[in-house]
Each structure stands twice: as structure tokens, then as C-alpha cells.
């Protein structure tokens, strides 16, 4: 009896947004009296970092420091419409809407600055530090806070913008089946290394290597956290979590809180190495595609393939319990195919 080591990989692709389209998100951007910018959304940040990425998109488009951006996602009753945070659509749909709104607000901001400096708006640019300046000049400039004050109290203008991103619904052509099913496709591959105890049936995932093509990683640190957090979820699905045989009546028989529900703990989490390949999407905000849901997908079959590589047992239902491993080994021995 021994520990058997194996390596397996799995590759997946995943669509961004609802496959048939028709899932819009809207955004509003306006300047405060002191030159901050408020991005108003009804899009919910689930902890994946949407607020941070939205602030980045707004700051980059407006040409102002990210510290100047306030993201308000407080209330779906009063905010602009959003279909929701699902289908790995948040960065793609919301980011595009915010860029549109910020572009409109930027045009007003430059026009107000032009009136204050008595130049043409086309001759102005932002420097990213908080100033609007005349192109080619370091002297003729005005701070965004002064632009906002002038707009509110001298010119009587609102520095604001509106944006909506909508992928139009796509229905199949009856004669050919032709259609436009999604906005873009992201891709991923995970390699898993495992150790399987052929006496107890226990599986230990030792290492995970993750490679993701997500268009452009707008925030590599947040993207890495999503990939590795999603891999934890995949590991949990593969080895621990089960809704059967009691679903949908699990409260009658199964665990009812997290003291009983099995999930990977700190000792169960493997070392991970993650990297990104950048192939910007033409219709993505600064080239970004969706990333969220797909991060739990590839680790599951990669672990299953690694187990097969280690002991020759093909596991086809989750979770991959010690009992399933041992039953598989018994079947191999009965067939005379076990090592």
C-alpha cells in the first residue's frame, strides 16, 4: 500500500454575459462641487472587486486620479438599471457602461475648463494627476476642483454623463441556425498534482497551476484572487461538497450550518501558481472579458484526471470520496488491471 502520485489537466472556455444577449447595464457619472466624481450603479459587488475595477475604468477614461472616484452601488430602486451580477458579465457590461458615461462627462469637463482658460476644448488634455492643461504646455492648466467649482457656481453646468451597454438579443436563423451567441469567450487551463492513498482512498491535492486568457486583466491582483478563490471552490466541489442524496430536502438529513458542512480548510488548500495570457477583446472595456464563474470549472476535471493518472480509477461523480476511490480500485483488481 502506498501513496500514488498523478498529474492531470483540463481546459475550458466560458462565455461572457447572457448567451442570447439583451442584458443591459447602465451607469451615471457626475462631478461633485469639489471635483470628485461619483459613479452611480445598481450593479452589486459580491466581493470580486467590481467597485475597484469600475473606479479604474472611470479614472482612466476621465483622466483623473483613482482617489477622485466614488462608486455608489447603494440602491436598485434609485440607481440606473442593471440586469445583475451573474453570467461573468460584471466587468464587461458595467465597465463598458461606465466608460461611456465617463466619456460624456469628460467632454463637459473639458468644455468648462476651456471656457475658464479661454482656449478650445480640443486643445486640452488631462494629466492624470488632477489637472486639465493645454496640450504642449506645463503652465496653462487648471485643477479639476476649480473646474468643478466653476461649473457649479459660475457657469451653471452639470459635469455628468450617462452610459448603457447592451448586447442586442440574438435569435437563431431558422434555416441555418446561425446566431451570435455571446459577447466573447474566455479560456482557462488548470493542471493538478495529487497524491492518492490506495489503502484509505484519501485524495490530497498538492499543487494547482492555473493559466487564464481573460482578454486583459484590468487588475491582475484581483484577477489572481478570483482565480485562486475559484480554484478553492472547485476543489471543494471535487472532494468535499455534496447535496445528494437529500437535495432538495437537505435540512431534514444533511448539515444545517458551517460547523457541519464540509469544505476545504487551511490544511487542505494546495499551493497555486497562476498566470494570465492577454488577448484583448474588441468589445471589452479596455479589452477585458469575463472571469468570475469559470474559475471553479477547470480544477474539478483536472483533479479527476490526476486521480486517474495516479491509480487508474475514473471518477465521474462528485464528490470524489474515499469510498469511490476504494470501490474503483476493487473493480480494477477484480478485472486484473490494478498495479
Amino acid at each position: 500500500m502506498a501513496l500514488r502520485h498523478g498529474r492531470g489537466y483540463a481546459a475550458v472556455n466560458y462565455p461572457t454575459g447572457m448567451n442570447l444577449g439583451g442584458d443591459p447595464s447602465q451607469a451615471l457619472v457626475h462631478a461633485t462641487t469639489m471635483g470628485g466624481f461619483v459613479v452611480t450603479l445598481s450593479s452589486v459587488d459580491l466581493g470580486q472587486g467590481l467597485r475597484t475595477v469600475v473606479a479604474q475604468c472611470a479614472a482612466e477614461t476621465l483622466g483623473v486620479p483613482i482617489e477622485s472616484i466614488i462608486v455608489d452601488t447603494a440602491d436598485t430602486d434609485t440607481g440606473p438599471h442593471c440586469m445583475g451580477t451573474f453570467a461573468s458579465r460584471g466587468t464587461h457590461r458595467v465597465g463598458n457602461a461606465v466608460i461611456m458615461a465617463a466619456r460624456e462627462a469628460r467632454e463637459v469637463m473639458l468644455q468648462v475648463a476651456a471656457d475658464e482658460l479661454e482656449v478650445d476644448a480640443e486643445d486640452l488634455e488631462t494629466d492624470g494627476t488632477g489637472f486639465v492643461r493645454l496640450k504642449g504646455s506645463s503652465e496653462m492648466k487648471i485643477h479639476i476642483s476649480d473646474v468643478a467649482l466653476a461649473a457649479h457656481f459660475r457657469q451653471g453646468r452639470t459635469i455628468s454623463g450617462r452610459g448603457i451597454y447592451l448586447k442586442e438579443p440574438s435569435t437563431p436563423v431558422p434555416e441555418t441556425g446561425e446566431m451570435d451567441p455571446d459577447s466573447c469567450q474566455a479560456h482557462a487551463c488548470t493542471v493538478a498534482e495529487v497524491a492518492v492513498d490506495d489503502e484509505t482512498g484519501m485524495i490530497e491535492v498538492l499543487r494547482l497551476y492555473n493559466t487564464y486568457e481573460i482578454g486583459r486583466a484590468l487588475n491582475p491582483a484581483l484577477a489572481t484572487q478570483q482565480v485562486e478563490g475559484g480554484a478553492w471552490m472547485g476543489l471543494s466541489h471535487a472532494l468535499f461538497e455534496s447535496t445528494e442524496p437529500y437535495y432538495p430536502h437537505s435540512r431534514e438529513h444533511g448539515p444545517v450550518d458551517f460547523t457541519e458542512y464540509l469544505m476545504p480548510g487551511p490544511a487542505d488548500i494546495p499551493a497555486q501558481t497562476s498566470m494570465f495570457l492577454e488577448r484583448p477583446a474588441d468589445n471589452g472595456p479596455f479589452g477585458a472579458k469575463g472571469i468570475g464563474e469559470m474559475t471553479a470549472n477547470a480544477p474539478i476535471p483536472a483533479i479527476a484526471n490526476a486521480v486517474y493518472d495516479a491509480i487508474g480509477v475514473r471518477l465521474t461523480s462528485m464528490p470524489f470520496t474515499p469510498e469511490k476511490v476504494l470501490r474503483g480500485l476493487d473493480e480494477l483488481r477484480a478485472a486484473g488491471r490494478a498495479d
Side-chain angles (χ1 to χ4, degrees):
M1 302 300 178
L3 287 177
R4 307 291 186 91
H5 289 80
R7 175 181 291 177
Y9 72 90
V12 301
N13 69 302
Y14 205 88
T16 297
M18 291 175 63
N19 286 5
L20 299 181
D23 57 335
S25 286
Q26 299 178 358
L28 302 174
V29 172
H30 76 271
T32 68
T33 55
M34 293 305 296
F37 285 87
V38 180
V39 180
T40 305
L41 307 168
S42 290
S43 311
V44 177
D45 190 328
L46 300 176
Q48 79 277 37
L50 181 63
R51 292 168 64 96
T52 299
V53 170
V54 162
Q56 289 179 249
C57 290
E60 182 72 17
T61 305
L62 289 163
V64 303
I66 194 169
E67 294 79 13
S68 302
I69 307 297
I70 300 170
V71 179
D72 177 15
T73 60
D75 195 333
T76 55
D77 283 337
T78 57
H81 174 72
C82 180
M83 280 291 288
T85 304
F86 62 92
S88 303
R89 66 186 294 283
T91 293
H92 188 274
R93 298 292 195 270
V94 181
N96 275 322
V98 168
I99 289 171
M100 293 176 184
R103 284 174 179 165
E104 188 172 286
R106 176 183 168 86
E107 289 182 8
V108 181
M109 176 181 70
L110 293 181
Q111 187 58 60
V112 172
D115 292 345
E116 292 299 304
L117 294 174
E118 297 182 344
V119 298
D120 290 332
E122 293 79 9
D123 295 330
L124 295 178
E125 64 184 3
T126 52
D127 67 358
T129 69
F131 285 92
V132 179
R133 67 185 182 189
L134 186 66
K135 295 177 182 177
S137 172
S138 60
E139 301 298 327
M140 184 169 288
K141 60 184 179 180
I142 181 172
H143 197 271
I144 292 171
S145 60
D146 294 319
V147 175
L149 287 168
H152 283 87
F153 299 108
R154 276 200 298 276
Q155 298 187 22
R157 304 181 69 176
T158 300
I159 300 177
S160 62
R162 304 151 297 171
I164 178 170
Y165 185 85
L166 169 68
K167 182 188 186 299
E168 296 182 359
S170 176
T171 54
V173 177
E175 293 76 16
T176 65
E178 179 185 1
M179 63 178 301
D180 180 18
D182 49 50
S183 299
C184 49
Q185 294 270 343
H187 306 84
C189 180
T190 293
V191 177
E193 294 182 357
V194 305
V196 184
D197 189 319
D198 62 7
E199 181 175 11
T200 66
M202 292 294 295
I203 300 170
E204 181 183 4
V205 180
L206 304 174
R207 280 173 289 276
L208 293 174
Y209 302 90
N210 310 300
T211 301
Y212 277 72
E213 186 279 296
I214 55 171
R216 187 177 183 187
L218 301 187
N219 190 309
L222 286 177
T224 299
Q225 290 176 355
Q226 280 198 272
V227 167
E228 298 188 353
W232 176 90
M233 295 173 67
L235 170 67
S236 189
H237 292 319
L239 301 185
F240 293 87
E241 297 184 66
S242 176
T243 57
E244 299 293 344
Y246 307 117
Y247 182 83
H249 304 295
S250 58
R251 290 187 63 84
E252 298 176 11
H253 305 284
V256 296
D257 57 41
F258 287 118
T259 63
E260 299 177 357
Y261 190 88
L262 288 179
M263 294 184 294
D268 304 305
I269 300 174
Q272 295 195 55
T273 301
S274 303
M275 65 175 296
F276 298 100
L277 304 176
E278 295 198 333
R279 303 288 188 273
D282 292 338
N283 61 8
F286 302 109
K289 302 177 182 180
I291 182 176
E293 289 169 296
M294 69 185 297
T295 57
N297 293 357
I300 299 171
I303 292 169
N305 289 336
V307 171
Y308 180 79
D309 184 53
I311 59 174
V313 172
R314 177 64 70 187
L315 300 172
T316 59
S317 64
M318 299 181 291
F320 309 145
T321 62
E323 179 184 6
K324 292 176 182 177
V325 171
L326 295 178
R327 286 184 182 275
L329 287 172
D330 287 343
E331 292 174 3
L332 290 179
R333 293 188 186 102
R337 292 188 287 117
D339 293 337

